[in-house]
Amino acid sequence: MIRLLTRAATAGLILSTASVVANAAQPEPWQMGFQNAATNMMAQISWFEDYTLWLLTPIVLFVLGLLAYVIIRFNARANPVPSKTSHNTTIEVVWTVGPVLILLAFAIPSFQLLNSQYQPQTEPEITIKAIGYQWAWAYEYQDDEGGEDVVFDALMLKEDERTAFNKTDVGAYPRLLAVDNEVVVPVDTTVRLLVTASDVLHSWTIPAFGVKMDAVPGRLNETWFHARQEGIFYGQCSELCGKDHAFMPIAVRVVSKDDYNSWLVAARDDVNGANQTLMATLEARRTLARAEAE
C-alpha cells in the first residue's frame, strides 16, 4: 500500500513538473492578482503588495469610521451650537506622530525592495541586450570569452505560422504572446539585461520575474533577473509605442544549464535550428516523464 501511494505521489509530481515546465507563467482569464513569482525579486514584490494592503486596510476603515462619526455627531441638527475649540495639544501630537510612523512603516520596506532591485544576488554570468523597435524585440547575447555573439529577432507568431515553428499548442504558446524565437536562459543563473530602443520608447517586462525596464532611444538601461524554475514566461511591451504596441510580446524560456549550453553552441550557427532542437529535447523529456508516471 505504501509503495502504491509513493508511486502515485511520484507520478503526480512528475506530471505537475512537466506541466509547469511546459507552461510556467502567462496571463490567465479574469486574473486579479500577480502571476506566480519565478524569482526571489518577484516574491519580495508580492510580499510588499500584501503587506501594503493589510497595512492600508485598517487605516482606510479608521478614517471612514471617523468621517461617519463626525458627520453624525457634529451635523447642524445634532449639534446646533458648534464647538469653538481652537487648540488641542493631544490631537495635534497624535495626527502628526501617527502619519509619520505610518509613512516609516511604508518607506523602510519600500526602500529595501528598491535597493534589492539594483543589487543582483550574485555576479551576473550572462549578459543579454534587448533592443525594442516598432514593433518587435531584437536580442544580442554578449560573449565575454571572445566567442561569436548570438543575435536574433523575436516577432509575435501569427496563427498561420504556428505549424512552421511547431508551436500549435495554444496552452504553452498563447495567442498574441507566442514568438518565433524565445530568449533562452539557464535556471538558477543571474542574467544581466541591457535594454535600449532604436526608435521610440518601449518597455521590457516579465511580470513573473518582477522586471520592468524602459527602453529609451540613445540610452542603455540595466536590470537583472534570476529565474528559479524552468518554463516559458511571458510579458509584453509596457510603454505605448505605436499602432502595434499590443503585438510585441516577450517570451523567456528558462531551461537547465546543460540544455542552455547546448542551445548556445547550436544558436551561434542557426538560432531557429537550435530552438527546434531544444523544443524537441524538452518535449521528448516530458513524454518520457508522462510514460513513466503511467
Side-chain angles (χ1 to χ4, degrees), residues 16-31:
S16 63
T17 303
S19 176
V20 168
V21 170
N23 183 10
Q26 58 179 269
E28 300 292 340
W30 300 99
Q31 185 174 2

Side-chain angles (χ1 to χ4, degrees), residues 208-285:
F209 290 174
V211 172
K212 183 178 185 294
M213 180 58 68
D214 285 346
V216 183
R219 178 173 177 175
L220 202 61
N221 289 331
E222 181 177 332
T223 186
W224 65 277
F225 60 86
H226 187 109
R228 61 188 186 187
Q229 70 180 77
E230 298 180 35
I232 304 178
F233 301 88
Y234 291 100
Q236 293 173 294
C237 176
S238 299
E239 188 75 40
L240 187 60
C241 57
K243 71 178 184 66
D244 285 343
H245 161 68
F247 305 107
M248 56 183 297
I250 302 162
V252 177
R253 187 190 291 272
V254 183
V255 298
S256 69
K257 294 186 178 182
D258 289 339
D259 286 338
Y260 169 77
N261 290 331
S262 299
W263 173 87
L264 185 62
V265 171
R268 290 193 175 104
D269 296 323
D270 180 9
V271 173
N272 184 55
N275 289 337
Q276 295 298 324
T277 301
L278 177 61
M279 290 169 56
T281 301
L282 296 176
E283 184 58 35
R285 199 172 294 158

